Amino acid sequence: MDRLQSMRVFQQVVDDGSFAAAARKFDMSSAVVTRLVGDLENHLGVRLLHRTTRRMALTDAGVAYLARVRHILSDIDEAHAAAQAHAQEMSGVIRILTPPIFGVHVLGPLVAEFGRRYPKVVLDIHVDSPLVPPVEDYDLTLLGATDTFDANIIARPIASSDGILCASPDYLRRNGVPQRPEDLAQHRCLRIKAPANRHRVWRLINPAENRRELEVSIEPAMLTNHSDTLIRAGVDGAGIISQSIDLVANHLHSGALQRILSPWITGTNTLYAALPSRKFIPARTSVFLEFITEYTRTVIKKMDTRHH
């Protein structure tokens, strides 16, 4: 009996909830799959599955055995991948999950340079904003959070950037440049929707004065739950917006947006990369993680230096 094959088949039967489905995965007949699981039970001298015509369930022994089998098979797969990584050129697919805002303003700008460095690595970018990101289904998941972020998942910080106030040069020509935070009350302010009407107050922090805080009451001229809509409206001259430097870096660089009220900021936001819990990380994923970290921090540093 090929014990390793039997273990893989047993795991697949449980995961799929059916012998027939597991048989299709392995391109075997249902009879062969049934025999392999039966041989495994005979070898162990214990029943792993309760089987009836209607349903299948793990026995207590099956639950305990499956937990160990998952670890063993995962370790074997990781060892195989680690050995191959030494012999292969950097290639393969990196599956990335990202919210739309990071897809447009963080991932989009770096694809060209990464492609030049690693032409055989394919970035498979899935853009979505699920309430609970399925981190285990992707090689890397981008997450955004404020500096008070307390994640239940293991996530590596990529870069932190300040939220800044900015507007288009056209808006500032027509409406004047605010000279102090209190002036915001007389301007068209564009905000992201917040619960409990928190979007009616702009909380500002001054890093140059020991992070002194100030709250300014405003009546937003526009509310949205979509950051790209906010940025687009700001670029088009609709009013004053607040966004992280890394998300408006290109617009600041081109002059489409201009920072105001420096050094006041609206908080600090951190971009995280969450990795699945498996221990082995493919070399291509590690390389991309280092690249996005270096790239993003360089952009933020350049903008910080230029606009402080």
Side-chain angles (χ1 to χ4, degrees):
M1 179 182 72
D2 182 342
R3 192 153 326 142
L4 194 58
Q5 175 77 326
S6 295
M7 290 162 67
R8 289 193 186 280
V9 167
F10 167 65
Q11 177 180 264
Q12 198 65 52
V13 166
V14 176
D15 288 347
D16 288 342
S18 126
F19 283 78
R24 287 192 292 273
K25 288 272 176 65
F26 286 100
D27 196 21
M28 299 174 176
S29 68
S30 292
V32 170
V33 168
T34 301
R35 179 177 60 77
L36 285 171
V37 174
D39 287 346
L40 188 61
E41 290 178 321
N42 289 336
H43 171 75
L44 296 169
V46 67
R47 180 62 64 101
L48 299 173
L49 293 167
H50 290 302
R51 300 188 277 279
T52 68
T53 53
R54 291 191 175 185
R55 62 188 293 271
M56 179 188 72
L58 284 166
T59 63
D60 289 344
V63 170
Y65 185 68
L66 179 65
R68 296 302 304 155
V69 161
R70 288 199 191 281
H71 282 296
I72 291 167
L73 294 179
S74 175
D75 285 345
I76 290 170
D77 290 341
E78 287 177 11
H80 180 72
Q84 283 190 325
H86 288 285
Q88 292 178 347
E89 184 181 357
M90 199 68 67
S91 63
V93 177
I94 304 174
R95 298 188 70 242
I96 303 168
L97 175 64
T98 178
I101 189 71
F102 297 137
V104 172
H105 300 284
V106 176
L107 287 178
L110 61 75
V111 169
E113 178 60 28
F114 186 78
R116 281 190 286 269
R117 292 194 199 180
Y118 305 100
K120 293 192 176 180
V121 176
V122 176
L123 300 180
D124 181 352
I125 300 171
H126 183 72
V127 178
D128 196 7
S129 300
L131 287 176
V132 181
V135 172
E136 297 298 322
D137 296 342
Y138 292 86
D139 297 306
L140 188 148
T141 300
L142 294 186
L143 304 168
T146 65
D147 47 8
T148 57
F149 177 58
D150 180 21
N152 291 319
I153 57 176
I154 298 171
R156 183 181 304 181
I158 291 177
S160 292
S161 63
D162 292 334
I164 61 169
L165 294 160
C166 48
S168 73
D170 175 61
Y171 173 85
L172 296 174
R173 275 193 301 270
R174 287 184 287 108
N175 297 278
V177 179
Q179 299 301 310
R180 55 196 188 102
E182 291 80 4
D183 293 344
L184 291 171
Q186 279 72 54
H187 280 266
R188 294 184 63 80
C189 298
L190 317 179
R191 300 297 312 272
I192 291 288
K193 285 182 184 178
N197 278 334
R198 286 204 299 270
H199 45 250
R200 292 176 181 265
V201 174
W202 234 331
R203 175 176 160 267
L204 305 181
I205 302 165
N206 192 331
E209 297 181 11
N210 199 28
R211 297 188 70 83
R212 177 167 72 91
E213 293 189 14
L214 182 69
E215 291 191 347
V216 179
S217 296
I218 58 165
E219 283 297 326
M222 185 194 84
L223 291 171
T224 179
N225 66 341
H226 188 239
S227 294
D228 274 323
T229 300
L230 185 81
I231 293 171
R232 181 74 232 184
V235 168
D236 285 347
I240 296 171
I241 67 170
S242 165
Q243 274 295 325
S244 293
I245 286 179
D246 56 329
L247 301 183
V248 291
N250 288 339
H251 295 304
L252 292 169
H253 182 69
S254 69
L257 287 175
Q258 178 180 324
R259 182 171 182 179
I260 61 169
L261 292 176
S262 177
W264 290 95
I265 62 173
T266 55
T268 302
N269 300 291
T270 301
L271 174 64
Y272 291 87
L275 299 165
S277 57
R278 59 177 180 265
K279 288 169 284 187
F280 175 73
I281 302 173
R284 59 182 176 271
T285 303
S286 295
V287 163
F288 181 76
L289 195 51
E290 294 304 317
F291 180 85
I292 188 176
T293 301
E294 174 196 344
Y295 187 97
T296 307
R297 288 180 183 176
T298 299
V299 167
I300 292 169
K301 186 176 180 181
K302 191 182 298 181
M303 289 299 113
D304 272 342
T305 303
R306 186 175 299 168
H307 294 279
H308 270 149

